[in-house]
Amino acid sequence: MSFDKTIHLPVSADEAFALITEPERLRRWQTVAARVDLRVGGEYRWTVTPGHHAAGTFQEIEPGKRIVFTWGWETGMDLEPGASTVTITLEPDADGTTLRLVHEGLTPDQAAAHAEGWNHYLERLVAETSTDSGAGPDAWAAAPDPIDHLNCAEASLAVLLGVLRKLTPADRDKATPCESFTAHELLDHLAGSLQHIGGALGAELSDDTDATPEVRIAGLAQVSLEAFSRRGIEGAVDMGFAELPATMVAGILNLELLVHAWDFATATGQEVVASDVVTDYVEGLAQQTISDQVRANGSFAPAQPVAETAGSLERLIAFTGRTVAA
């Protein structure tokens, strides 16, 4: 069985090719995170939605014209990485580019499931290229089901990258809710935290300080989360200053991603769009992670009061010691 669909994109074939191959472009319409080694034989790994990771290798590459790659899932679907094949061809036309996607090597059940997925994401690709607002946040990535430490971290990353995407150079020196941190200093802090966590998990990280905030943090977070996915959350992690339960390290990672998303958004006048499923879960992790001793050493201020009607995100933010505007 196969899935075969053709769409029209109002962009050049080169731009269309970039949208289907470059991590920064893929994050706009199809993935939470993406690792791409764009060469024949090179591997890719896409976090399509939290907890769902597609992987395979590139078989044929003709920039601006055609790409062929194997496809499968690390878990679920009974379709291992490399077990099926996706071919995308691009043909320039009078108003842009015709894109045809063919996914072969599927069982009837797999074809039906992938048809739902490809239809969803191809619609988002059309929206990304056809509307001023782009595809916008993906509802499928908002609330992992089931949710766990790592799926929640991937959902939190999606929230954070949506905020960082809108940062401009003019935001660099703006004050943030983190005392004494400008937006740029907070970005450096977050990058350092991701390097520390990723390094403790055995990942090899490279911090591209010249990249945009979104690209810089996406690169570090992708590698760290991939390392955590390989390791799992059992046992303890040597963080250098102490050995911590892996579940606590995962909790810290969630807090870094989601709470700092709120910090950046507050500093720059943005609104954080996060599911209560995610914010409730991170609040639970915060309660396990932020002890009186942690507050006493200055890492977090005392929990702040919130109204009884406060939402899930407001409760989380107040628990971390930040003041939530009335």
Side-chain angles (χ1 to χ4, degrees):
M1 296 286 292
S2 64
F3 171 82
D4 189 335
K5 184 163 184 172
T6 299
I7 60 172
H8 173 79
L9 302 176
V11 297
S12 69
D14 287 339
E15 173 67 12
F17 189 80
L19 283 161
I20 62 175
T21 57
E22 295 180 4
E24 184 177 2
R25 307 297 185 86
L26 285 163
R27 289 194 298 270
R28 299 293 189 271
W29 64 277
Q30 188 177 17
T31 72
V32 172
R35 171 169 55 81
V36 174
D37 181 9
L38 191 60
R39 60 183 177 84
V40 173
E43 298 181 348
Y44 72 90
R45 182 184 190 266
W46 298 345
T47 302
V48 180
T49 59
H52 297 89
H53 309 101
T57 58
F58 295 103
Q59 306 294 297
E60 300 177 35
I61 301 172
E62 295 182 66
K65 296 181 180 179
R66 171 183 166 90
I67 189 164
V68 181
F69 49 94
T70 63
W71 176 280
W73 298 93
E74 291 185 354
T75 57
M77 292 294 296
D78 194 27
L79 186 68
E80 295 182 354
S84 63
T85 303
V86 176
T87 300
I88 302 177
T89 54
L90 305 169
E91 291 287 345
D93 59 34
D95 301 313
T97 301
T98 297
L99 180 152
R100 182 186 180 194
L101 184 148
V102 180
H103 191 168
E104 300 174 286
L106 304 171
T107 66
D109 287 346
Q110 291 166 351
H114 282 82
E116 181 181 5
W118 284 122
N119 282 323
H120 173 76
Y121 287 109
L122 290 175
E123 287 176 6
R124 286 180 52 78
L125 178 56
V126 171
E128 177 62 27
T129 59
S130 304
T131 63
D132 292 338
S133 58
D138 182 8
W140 284 13
D145 182 20
I147 192 167
D148 59 27
H149 289 71
L150 299 185
N151 293 354
C152 188
E154 290 173 346
S156 297
L157 176 62
V159 174
L160 172 65
L161 295 182
V163 173
L164 294 181
R165 190 170 298 147
K166 298 178 182 178
L167 261 60
T168 70
D171 296 322
R172 179 185 176 94
D173 295 323
K174 288 183 177 178
T176 73
C178 290
E179 187 176 353
S180 302
F181 275 11
T182 64
H184 178 70
E185 290 165 342
L186 183 58
L187 191 72
D188 282 344
H189 161 79
L190 178 56
S193 295
L194 291 171
Q195 289 183 87
H196 189 186
I197 292 171
L201 296 168
E204 295 184 7
L205 298 98
S206 177
D207 184 9
D208 185 357
T209 57
D210 293 327
T212 65
E214 179 206 353
V215 171
R216 179 185 182 187
I217 296 304
L220 293 170
Q222 163 80 13
V223 175
S224 298
L225 283 166
E226 196 167 337
F228 228 145
S229 179
R230 288 193 299 268
R231 183 199 181 281
I233 58 171
E234 299 77 21
V237 177
D238 185 355
M239 296 296 292
F241 60 88
E243 283 201 355
L244 299 179
T247 51
M248 180 176 288
V249 177
I252 293 170
L253 179 57
N254 274 276
L255 287 168
E256 290 282 344
L257 297 173
L258 188 56
V259 175
H260 287 326
W262 184 88
D263 290 331
F264 284 115
T266 301
T268 57
Q270 298 184 53
E271 180 181 358
V272 173
V273 180
S275 163
D276 285 354
V277 171
V278 171
T279 52
D280 285 348
Y281 194 86
V282 178
E283 183 184 4
L285 296 177
Q287 291 174 354
Q288 299 170 29
T289 303
I290 306 174
S291 63
D292 290 341
Q293 181 180 352
V294 169
R295 293 190 196 275
N297 70 22
S299 298
F300 291 89
Q304 299 299 302
V306 291
E308 291 184 6
T309 56
S312 174
L313 178 61
E314 293 171 311
R315 293 195 305 271
L316 165 64
I317 295 304
F319 186 78
T320 67
R322 290 154 170 81
T323 300
V324 179

